[in-house]
Amino acid sequence: MSSVPVEMKDGAVSSSKWLDAHYDPVANLYTFSSCVTLADLHGDGENKLVVGDLGTGAGNMKLKVYRGTGLLSENTLLDLPTGLVSFLMDQHEPRTPAIAVASGPFIYIYKNLRPYFKFTLPTLEINPLEQDVWNQARGDMIDPMTLKEMLEGIRDKADIPLSVRTLRFLMLEPQEMESYVNLHKEQPIRRQTVITCIATLKKNMADDDAVSCLVIGTESQDVYILDPEAFTILSKMSLPSVPTLMDVTGQFDIEFRIIVACRNGNIYILRRDSQKPKYCIELSSHPVGLVRMGKNVVVGCAQETMQSFTQKGKKLWTTYLPAPVTTMALLDLPTRGFQAVLVALANCEVHVYRDKNLVSTIKTQDVVTSICFGRYGREDGTLIMTTKGGGLIVKILKRTAVFDDRDSISGPPVAQSIRLNVPKKTKLYVDQTMRERENAVAMHRAFQMDLSRLRLAAARAYVKALESSLTPMSASLTEPLKMNAVVQGLGPSFKLTLNIQNTAACRPVMNLAISFLYDENLYSMRTAFFKIPLLVPGLNYPIDTFVECLSDKGISDIIKVFVLKEGKSTPLLTAHINMPVSEGLALN
Amino acid sequence: MGLFDKLAGWLGLKKKEVNVICLGLDNSGKTTIINQLKPSNAQAQDIVPTIGFSIEKFKTSSLSFTVFDMSGQGRYRNLWEHYYKEGQAIIFVIDSSDKLRMVVAKEELDTLLNHPDIKHRRIPILFFANKMDLRDALSSVKVSQLLCLENIKDKPWHICASNAVQGEGLQEGVDWLQDQIRTMRT
């Protein structure tokens, strides 16, 4: 608990909505969202956390129950749990829920945390050829090597897959075969499937404390609905692929929908009285999380996206996430009328999305592998997460927390939804539009003709300027020069600075002179002609001179600057300097 | 106040009345504590979760208490602040066995202390670290650490461990509260 103040500082943003109730980084809980649930196991109004712990993956699987911050009980599980649900199986008082743990082909039912019943999935059809061959082996008519060859032949072309016993036999070394056959040949062959996902479905009432059926998905691409008391199969449905994630709504006796995400990357929607899927949603990548929000389905995909669909398979939106999704859960607060999707990401963050808007981000110390939101203990808005490193995080939503859509960074700006005050179409506008529509070709031609003329005029003016060296850029290849001029001062005396640069790559320019042409009544210049030194390529040569304005009538004129080459009558380049109006009066 | 009342007051026959607000999370034992403080012939046998609030009265040697016993359930906690103005003292009850919700209690306490009707008043606060008898209960020192009570500088406060079902520790707390109210009056 001493770590709480530190965490508050770390996540200043997240702590505004969530209280850090408990964090145990070494809780030794390795599990996924499908194996975590909250249930009032003892009927005392306090919800406990029930976790199917996968342990090391090979051993140490446990059914753990937490109360508050401490572990209440532990039961050893025989096999890896694939799913865990709590459900009310009968009307007896006290109304304490049972726990169903799915592992392998079995469902173990616990009542009062004691083993109560074990349900086994029905066996599958056996390949008759395989049966035949084993019968021969039982009668010692064939030796193990022949048995192996025959079974391999069946394996390669059989429609019905072989049993686990046969498959294991085919993997054995020759010396082990004899004993294996002798050990197993007397038992009948069984072919069993395994449970991949489990969920609950209310039987005939929608109340919170109504009796629920178990819904299971299997590796044999089937969905079974089981009776809660007798554990008989009430209904069986087939899917085109193996179900991995499942969401169930409705009531078995009235109408229900089962939304199943399958291993082939599709989502199928099953309904009552349909043996085959009613709708199919084809995803662009594999589903990793499935949450139902009201009538819509939100799917987290492997390609770092989250997509929403209606129950009829119409796509509503797509959101791009910053990191791959690890798990998803629903945040449901019926007392506040608030629903959102919790998405755990591989970058140690948990995002809260309302529709496609990000409304809150929670930073965690480790990658979250399972999320569960609901009533824990006596607190309604509790978020329970377990991490990759086996940690347990419990956060409580503040009573005063408000989720605001405006918190989101993404989404269209508010200004986009404001309607512009567009004036009504006038008659003139309509007439103009009509004219444009009718004479479109003629107008286009006229425009193109004028554009060509404009280009021609521009090109002519340019050529003329080049020919008469009227530009401040020299066009001759032997003396590539560039010049610009700056006028400084308020008047009547101005400083004129000419910057001359030789733009050639390596050749210097010699024998240049500068001459000015101006109105002698208006301006006077101390030196109106001077020689320029040798111009080294690339360097900038500033040349200063002074101009005196003679007029006090507030008029100005242009001074032309010519750069001349010795022995040439035309200038190399020309610059026109627009002199500013003299603001001071001449002293003399 | 009439002449008779004044006279009775001087003679110590009529007791001064104080309004106290009793706050705390749901299932912390507020109603049970108030019930234990009432005279034994007025005590209720069954304690049920309070809805909204209830008003209870009990007397000590020198004061007559009127207690607003507020409901602690999340959906009723927004009612608390409407009674802050009338309250002359606060009793805050904590379930010391509920470690998980200690942060929620701290959050509600912080909201209470920062409320404008409470913030600038020197109002005594009595904390009951209730359910001390339970096996996994935290000590009153640990509870005051978790709630950061040492940060309350401008109000007199006191924490005592209690077991409301048996009535242990309640008298000590009420005696402290009575002393505080008397010193504030004079």
Side-chain angles (χ1 to χ4, degrees):
Chain A
M1 290 300 272
S2 60
S3 63
V4 169
V6 184
E7 281 170 38
M8 299 286 253
K9 264 178 238 162
D10 286 348
V13 182
S14 62
S15 70
S16 60
K17 290 192 181 79
W18 301 91
L19 297 168
D20 298 296
H22 181 61
Y23 175 49
D24 183 2
V26 287
N28 208 14
L29 271 180
Y30 300 92
T31 190
F32 300 108
S33 293
S34 58
C35 294
V36 182
T37 193
L38 291 163
D40 183 7
L41 288 182
H42 303 102
D44 55 359
E46 255 187 81
N47 274 18
K48 316 292 183 299
L49 172 68
V50 190
V51 184
D53 187 356
L54 279 76
T56 55
N60 218 7
M61 290 80 74
K62 287 212 165 77
L63 176 68
K64 292 182 177 173
V65 179
Y66 278 80
R67 178 180 172 273
T69 55
L71 190 63
L72 192 71
S73 81
E74 259 186 359
N75 289 37
T76 304
L77 294 173
L78 297 173
D79 203 353
L80 275 182
T82 52
L84 184 153
V85 288
S86 78
F87 69 110
L88 283 161
M89 50 191 286
D90 48 38
Q91 297 282 3
H92 301 319
E93 294 286 341
R95 309 293 317 271
T96 50
I99 300 290
V101 182
S103 62
F106 311 110
I107 299 176
Y108 300 94
I109 312 287
Y110 290 82
K111 271 198 111 175
N112 291 322
L113 292 174
R114 285 193 198 92
Y116 174 76
F117 184 72
K118 177 174 147 183
F119 169 80
T120 311
L121 280 176
T123 51
L124 301 173
E125 193 186 345
I126 301 158
N127 193 323
L129 291 171
E130 183 191 4
Q131 179 75 63
D132 220 35
V133 172
W134 276 102
N135 283 343
Q136 287 179 30
R138 187 163 56 181
D140 286 328
M141 285 179 274
I142 47 172
D143 62 345
M145 281 319 287
T146 332
L147 178 66
K148 186 184 176 183
E149 276 166 29
M150 289 170 86
L151 287 173
E152 271 174 346
I154 298 167
R155 179 178 64 181
D156 295 341
K157 50 183 186 281
D159 301 332
I160 301 168
L162 299 185
S163 65
V164 175
R165 185 214 289 189
T166 309
L167 293 174
R168 191 173 288 168
F169 172 72
L170 293 177
M171 280 161 56
L172 291 176
E173 298 295 326
Q175 63 269 24
E176 293 167 331
M177 283 178 181
E178 179 99 45
S179 58
Y180 187 86
V181 172
N182 288 334
L183 186 66
H184 292 283
K185 66 184 179 186
E186 296 304 326
Q187 277 106 35
I189 305 175
R190 294 159 72 90
R191 196 161 72 85
Q192 271 186 323
T193 182
V194 293
I195 298 169
T196 54
C197 51
I198 184 165
T200 59
L201 168 64
K202 296 265 186 297
K203 191 149 193 299
N204 47 24
M205 282 201 285
D207 305 352
D208 281 337
D209 60 346
V211 171
S212 300
C213 306
L214 291 178
V215 183
I216 49 177
T218 68
E219 191 71 36
S220 58
Q221 312 184 351
D222 291 318
V223 171
Y224 295 97
I225 300 178
L226 305 182
D227 182 79
E229 266 176 301
F231 290 99
T232 49
I233 293 168
L234 295 174
S235 175
K236 181 190 170 187
M237 287 167 269
S238 303
L239 289 167
S241 177
V242 182
T244 56
L245 302 160
M246 196 157 61
D247 185 275
V248 186
T249 51
Q251 292 139 56
F252 178 75
D253 288 344
I254 301 159
E255 173 62 57
F256 62 85
R257 269 165 209 263
I258 305 176
I259 303 162
V260 201
C262 288
R263 213 173 276 163
N264 63 354
N266 291 354
I267 293 176
Y268 298 100
I269 295 163
L270 297 158
R271 290 175 65 173
R272 190 183 155 83
D273 303 327
S274 64
Q275 296 301 306
K276 293 276 165 202
K278 184 99 174 151
Y279 301 103
C280 169
I281 303 167
E282 289 185 9
L283 300 171
S284 52
S285 61
H286 279 84
V288 283
L290 177 80
V291 165
R292 183 182 48 83
M293 274 186 82
K295 294 204 159 180
N296 299 334
V297 187
V298 181
V299 191
C301 291
Q303 269 177 343
E304 304 183 14
T305 57
M306 195 164 71
Q307 302 179 3
S308 176
F309 298 91
T310 64
Q311 278 192 347
K312 292 193 172 167
K314 188 177 160 236
K315 187 167 173 177
L316 295 173
W317 47 260
T318 302
T319 300
Y320 295 91
L321 302 167
V325 179
T326 55
T327 187
M328 284 169 70
L330 179 69
L331 188 160
D332 188 16
L333 280 173
T335 49
R336 293 192 219 170
F338 181 76
Q339 274 200 329
V341 180
L342 291 155
V343 189
L345 302 175
N347 63 354
C348 297
E349 282 184 343
V350 176
H351 286 192
V352 184
Y353 283 90
R354 176 149 74 180
D355 287 339
K356 61 182 298 190
N357 300 317
L358 177 64
V359 291
S360 172
T361 303
I362 304 163
K363 285 205 163 41
T364 54
Q365 292 83 351
D366 193 0
V367 178
V368 171
T369 55
S370 87
I371 300 188
C372 184
F373 183 90
R375 184 180 166 90
Y376 182 42
R378 304 183 64 91
E379 199 62 38
D380 277 325
T382 312
L383 174 63
I384 296 161
M385 301 177 278
T386 65
T387 64
K388 205 174 174 180
L392 173 67
I393 306 171
V394 181
K395 284 177 189 279
I396 294 175
L397 187 66
K398 279 192 192 178
R399 183 170 62 88
T400 50
V402 181
F403 287 99
D404 203 345
D405 274 342
R406 275 175 293 174
D407 288 357
S408 60
I409 313 140
S410 58
V414 187
Q416 196 172 303
S417 55
I418 298 170
R419 282 183 70 89
L420 292 173
N421 187 17
V422 182
K424 274 191 166 183
K425 286 173 187 168
T426 58
K427 188 173 181 301
L428 183 67
Y429 172 81
V430 177
D431 290 350
Q432 199 72 359
T433 320
M434 290 301 290
R435 193 177 69 85
E436 280 172 15
R437 206 176 286 165
E438 281 158 15
N439 306 316
V441 177
M443 287 166 93
H444 180 73
R445 277 190 193 140
F447 173 75
Q448 288 298 328
M449 174 115 84
D450 288 348
L451 187 65
S452 308
R453 278 187 182 150
L454 182 69
R455 282 180 183 152
L456 181 65
R460 273 182 187 151
Y462 184 62
V463 169
K464 193 182 163 199
L466 283 181
E467 277 172 352
S468 54
S469 300
L470 287 170
T471 54
M473 289 280 286
S474 144
S476 78
L477 287 172
T478 48
E479 289 92 16
L481 295 176
K482 198 171 95 178
M483 180 171 78
N484 68 64
V486 181
V487 183
Q488 288 168 314
L490 298 170
S493 138
F494 297 96
K495 184 180 175 186
L496 196 62
T497 312
L498 302 169
N499 292 304
I500 299 182
Q501 197 180 359
N502 178 7
T503 56
C506 54
R507 219 169 37 173
V509 181
M510 288 178 289
N511 299 332
L512 294 182
I514 284 185
S515 159
F516 295 92
L517 184 67
Y518 53 90
D519 187 348
E520 292 195 358
N521 298 322
L522 209 54
Y523 297 106
S524 82
M525 243 176 194
R526 231 168 284 167
T527 44
F529 177 87
F530 40 83
K531 288 203 158 186
I532 302 177
L534 177 139
L535 294 179
V536 175
L539 289 183
N540 189 26
Y541 290 84
I543 295 156
D544 298 338
T545 180
F546 291 90
V547 183
E548 201 83 27
C549 182
L550 303 174
S551 160
D552 55 357
K553 295 193 179 81
I555 49 172
S556 65
D557 197 15
I558 289 172
I559 295 179
K560 291 181 182 172
V561 188
F562 303 105
V563 179
L564 307 159
K565 171 109 180 161
E566 254 177 46
K568 264 193 175 175
S569 59
T570 52
L572 283 176
L573 49 91
T574 313
H576 294 215
I577 302 166
N578 281 312
M579 292 302 288
V581 175
S582 164
E583 289 175 30
L585 289 173
L587 287 173
N588 45 353
Chain B
M1 203 182 253
L3 187 66
F4 254 123
D5 287 349
K6 272 185 188 166
L7 198 66
W10 288 329
L11 293 171
L13 293 172
K14 189 178 182 335
K15 293 176 179 176
K16 281 174 189 161
E17 297 217 347
V18 228
N19 290 334
V20 180
I21 322 169
C22 187
L23 305 172
L25 301 187
D26 47 313
N27 199 38
S28 57
K30 296 176 292 300
T31 310
T32 314
I33 286 178
I34 303 304
N35 192 49
Q36 279 288 340
L37 292 171
K38 288 200 289 189
S40 54
N41 55 0
Q43 282 180 9
Q45 288 302 312
D46 293 323
I47 306 293
V48 291
T50 311
I51 306 293
F53 71 98
S54 67
I55 297 175
E56 305 288 347
K57 286 185 170 105
F58 67 90
K59 287 184 175 125
T60 59
S61 55
S62 63
L63 294 171
S64 167
F65 284 93
T66 305
V67 186
F68 292 86
D69 178 16
M70 307 302 298
S71 171
Q73 292 175 37
R75 60 191 141 162
Y76 295 118
R77 278 180 221 156
N78 50 2
L79 296 178
W80 293 3
E81 58 184 34
H82 301 293
Y83 297 88
Y84 290 169
K85 238 180 208 143
E86 287 116 83
Q88 288 149 303
I90 290 171
I91 298 174
F92 198 96
V93 186
I94 303 129
D95 177 355
S96 43
S97 67
D98 194 350
K99 280 173 228 165
L100 190 78
R101 292 209 299 165
M102 216 45 96
V103 275
V104 184
K106 183 186 183 319
E107 173 72 16
E108 295 297 348
L109 178 65
D110 290 346
T111 321
L112 162 76
L113 294 174
N114 288 321
H115 192 273
D117 287 346
I118 297 287
K119 199 170 185 181
H120 302 296
R121 285 168 64 197
R122 215 185 125 71
I123 170 173
I125 307 176
L126 172 63
F127 294 93
F128 279 120
N130 200 19
K131 306 198 187 181
M132 266 304 145
D133 50 314
L134 293 185
R135 197 165 45 88
D136 50 353
L138 299 164
S139 70
S140 59
V141 178
K142 188 79 187 153
V143 170
S144 67
Q145 267 177 11
L146 288 174
L147 296 184
C148 303
L149 296 187
E150 68 275 10
N151 293 345
I152 307 174
K153 299 277 197 308
D154 55 345
K155 292 177 184 59
W157 62 268
H158 182 73
I159 184 163
C160 43
S162 67
N163 170 8
V165 181
Q166 303 298 325
E168 292 159 21
L170 300 183
Q171 205 50 51
E172 180 207 336
V174 175
D175 289 346
W176 175 85
L177 198 63
Q178 183 177 297
D179 288 350
Q180 285 297 322
I181 293 168
R182 286 222 307 255
T183 51
M184 286 180 77
R185 290 281 173 101
T186 51

